[in-house]
Amino acid sequence: MKKLAIIACLGLSIGAQAQTVFYGGDWDGASALVAEINSIFPENYYNSVVYDDFTVTTETRIDGVFGNFFTIGNPTLSHTLYWEIRKGITPHDGGTVVHDGTVSNATVTSNGDIIDGSNPGYLYDSDVDSFVLEPGTYFLGLAVDHPTSWYFVATTSGDNGIGSPLANGNSFWTSAENGAFFNSVGTDFDGRYDFSMGLRGSPVPEPASFAALGLGILSLGRRRKKKH
């Protein structure tokens, strides 16, 4: 029973090591780009998603997404966040969807940012059903799903960013209302922007690490037997 308790505790410890895998950085005070969809009346809204690139260098389990948004004219905040992870986005080519989802209970907190004098900023943060990404370069896309107002994801120059690449301008925007289909933000808009969004998760332990852990548990068990 003691061995089982030790293994259970170790399992909880491993599972609790979630961290920020990637964060593009804090708002740079420059701008924001519309990132909103409307699942109720999709034909009447921008239905826009903003994408920014990130790289994982080892097999990584993802369990959360987050981003900094501004809202205009919406006294009741939406808590529904749409997210995608894609590979291979190039100008006017959306590449391949790797994972996506919609969460209806995102945590929304004021981040203290204000754009255009009166429009407040909010951090949207949500857990997602965990999945594993193989090493490589991907694109994270975010949008708020709402019934009444505009949401804009904040631009960043990489300040306090985590992971890579940061501030490289390799971002994209797709918008049904504006006829934009995976337009390059750096080429088709005024500026080479990255965006304030990110992912939470943890590296997947390699088999050798599990083997070492198992030996440690067995060794601990043997020591306990000798004491008795």
Side-chain angles (χ1 to χ4, degrees), residues 22-34:
F22 173 76
Y23 174 48
D26 299 339
W27 183 48
D28 56 11
S31 190
L33 184 57
V34 63

Side-chain angles (χ1 to χ4, degrees), residues 137-183:
T137 297
Y138 300 86
F139 291 83
L140 170 64
L142 291 183
V144 174
D145 189 332
H146 70 96
T148 60
S149 186
W150 291 359
Y151 285 84
F152 299 76
V153 64
T155 58
T156 182
S157 298
D159 289 347
N160 297 315
I162 296 172
S164 66
L166 300 176
N168 68 340
N170 190 27
S171 55
F172 292 86
W173 183 56
T174 189
S175 172
E177 178 72 13
N178 290 278
F181 184 74
F182 293 95
N183 284 34

Side-chain angles (χ1 to χ4, degrees), residues 5-182:
I6 292 167
I7 293 170
C9 289
L10 286 168
L12 288 173
S13 174
I14 292 170
Q17 292 176 352
Q19 58 194 345
T20 299
V21 173
F22 173 76
Y23 174 48
D26 299 339
W27 183 48
D28 56 11
S31 190
L33 184 57
V34 63
E36 60 180 25
I37 62 173
N38 189 318
S39 56
I40 301 174
F41 303 109
E43 69 279 4
N44 295 334
Y45 284 79
Y46 283 99
N47 288 297
S48 306
V49 183
V50 174
Y51 300 85
D52 206 353
D53 62 335
F54 68 96
T55 298
V56 292
T57 57
T58 187
E59 195 174 50
T60 302
R61 183 172 299 281
I62 303 299
D63 58 24
V65 298
F66 60 92
N68 287 301
F69 290 82
F70 294 100
T71 183
I72 296 176
N74 187 7
T76 303
L77 291 171
S78 170
H79 286 256
T80 304
L81 185 65
Y82 175 74
W83 62 274
E84 291 183 350
I85 291 180
R86 290 177 177 254
K87 287 197 74 170
I89 297 179
T90 56
H92 313 297
D93 183 343
T96 304
V97 176
V98 179
H99 295 279
D100 64 352
T102 300
V103 290
S104 59
N105 58 349
T107 299
V108 183
T109 54
S110 172
N111 59 22
D113 294 332
I114 301 289
I115 196 171
D116 292 338
S118 61
N119 301 305
Y122 297 91
L123 171 64
Y124 275 70
D125 191 330
S126 179
D127 293 338
V128 300
D129 292 336
S130 65
F131 57 90
V132 173
L133 290 179
E134 299 295 330
T137 297
Y138 300 86
F139 291 83
L140 170 64
L142 291 183
V144 174
D145 189 332
H146 70 96
T148 60
S149 186
W150 291 359
Y151 285 84
F152 299 76
V153 64
T155 58
T156 182
S157 298
D159 289 347
N160 297 315
I162 296 172
S164 66
L166 300 176
N168 68 340
N170 190 27
S171 55
F172 292 86
W173 183 56
T174 189
S175 172
E177 178 72 13
N178 290 278
F181 184 74
F182 293 95

